[in-house]
Amino acid sequence: MTESVIYKTMIAGAEQQGDDDKDYKEETYLGNYLRFKMKREGKRFWAGDNISEYIDNEHVKEQLIDEAAEAFETVLDRLLIDRENDPNSKGTARRLAKMYFNEVMAGRYEPAPDATAFPNDSADRYEGMLVVRSELRSICSHHHQPVVGVAYIGIIAANKLIGLSKYTRIAQWCARRGTLQEELCNDIAREISKATDSKNVAVYIQAVHGCCENRGIMAHSSLTQTTVLTGSFKTDPGAKKEFFDNIKLQQEFAPR
Ligand SMILES: [Zn+2]
């Protein structure tokens, strides 16, 4: 499908549903149309929000990448970078657009990872604590600088168990957006709770922030720690202690 065909198809679909898109009929950018649609539907689209339900096929994403590449060309021009003659800057606009959609902010545009749950309700069910360490790569919403760190995810097993790698997939899906570390901690706790049905979830993140290291105070090893505790991790000091003891054991076993 060509770009304009997709766009016209979407507008036609909106018309059939009786949506009032007349102000946007002349809009040439699919991105503007989608922003309009999200506003109308009261859908929040902050840097840390997932908007995958609006990117329902690869053609939509391809067109959004094309539009972002065009916009990045303008940014490079305004920065007075010669993208016509500098061989290293020639494809940069498109590389940036693809990097945002497919890598550093992929968690905004892709649906949640499929975390198949297995029942944990037999007589010999596992009732202990589980602590999983997940490496994280994110970018801060303020400067789009890298945030690199580790999340320790703790849960008290409930009636569902998910594969161990799923904890990390969920954490990375939350991280691959523009985030604040505090929000990221909350997002991971919420999504893990959803996937496991456990009300007892703890998340501890330690990360270094490019926006402190590469600019501003230029401080190396600007380690930032955040913790979210829910359920018994919050109410039972024993569970909280066990969680942090587990983190220490993990750090001794494989230092981070
Ligand atoms: Zn920042």
Side-chain angles (χ1 to χ4, degrees):
M1 240 192 295
T2 65
E3 292 166 9
S4 59
V5 172
I6 303 164
Y7 177 70
K8 281 178 186 141
T9 310
M10 294 187 75
I11 295 284
E15 275 171 358
Q16 275 167 17
Q17 289 163 28
D19 292 343
D20 183 14
D21 285 345
K22 51 182 180 301
D23 294 341
Y24 283 77
K25 290 238 178 75
E26 301 308 316
E27 185 54 68
T28 47
Y29 288 103
L30 175 61
N32 283 348
Y33 171 68
L34 291 177
R35 286 195 307 120
F36 163 73
K37 199 168 177 227
M38 289 189 283
K39 277 185 200 165
R40 184 186 55 203
E41 293 172 6
K43 165 73 184 171
R44 204 178 77 166
F45 52 104
W46 295 5
D49 290 331
N50 180 277
I51 54 167
S52 56
E53 69 260 43
Y54 292 86
I55 321 284
D56 50 8
N57 67 64
E58 277 303 306
H59 300 291
V60 169
K61 196 156 100 177
E62 285 306 313
Q63 181 164 347
L64 293 172
I65 288 173
D66 286 347
E67 292 177 4
E70 193 186 316
F72 277 123
E73 284 176 359
T74 307
V75 171
L76 293 170
D77 291 347
R78 297 296 174 268
L79 291 171
L80 307 179
I81 293 171
D82 182 356
R83 60 183 175 83
E84 272 132 40
N85 297 301
D86 173 0
N88 297 315
S89 300
K90 262 184 186 168
T92 296
R94 175 154 289 273
R95 276 191 290 272
L96 283 170
K98 285 169 81 171
M99 180 183 76
Y100 271 90
F101 277 93
N102 296 332
E103 292 163 336
V104 299
M105 284 202 181
R108 300 189 74 230
Y109 309 109
E110 289 169 4
D114 172 33
T116 311
F118 306 98
N120 183 37
D121 49 11
S122 60
D124 57 348
R125 57 178 265 154
Y126 180 73
E127 291 184 323
M129 184 182 296
L130 196 79
V131 179
V132 178
R133 185 174 78 176
S134 304
E135 311 228 338
L136 290 184
R137 294 281 183 281
S138 189
I139 59 173
C140 75
S141 308
H142 297 144
H143 304 92
H144 292 196
Q145 285 285 305
V147 176
V148 179
V150 188
Y152 292 89
I153 302 163
I155 71 158
I156 314 282
N159 289 333
K160 279 171 18 182
L161 291 178
I162 57 172
L164 292 179
S165 66
K166 300 301 182 196
Y167 292 92
T168 299
R169 282 196 199 290
I170 291 169
Q172 287 175 345
W173 175 67
C174 293
R176 300 299 253 174
R177 307 173 191 185
T179 59
L180 291 188
Q181 189 174 324
E182 299 89 326
E183 276 174 10
L184 179 56
C185 227
N186 281 333
D187 289 350
I188 294 174
R190 189 188 57 244
E191 294 300 330
I192 294 291
S193 177
K194 240 191 249 173
T196 59
D197 257 1
S198 177
K199 300 281 169 266
N200 307 301
V201 176
V203 179
Y204 164 79
I205 298 178
Q206 57 179 47
V208 290
H209 290 247
C211 57
C212 296
E213 299 198 329
N214 303 336
R215 53 163 298 285
I217 57 171
M218 302 271 268
H220 281 288
S221 62
S222 56
L223 188 69
T224 304
Q225 299 168 303
T226 46
T227 309
V228 170
L229 302 171
T230 69
S232 57
F233 286 99
K234 198 172 181 175
T235 56
D236 174 5
K240 181 177 171 181
K241 184 175 185 311
E242 187 183 337
F243 176 57
F244 283 103
D245 285 349
N246 270 308
I247 292 174
K248 272 186 220 134
L249 287 170
Q250 291 226 24
Q251 289 176 337
E252 278 165 30
F253 178 72
R256 285 295 311 171

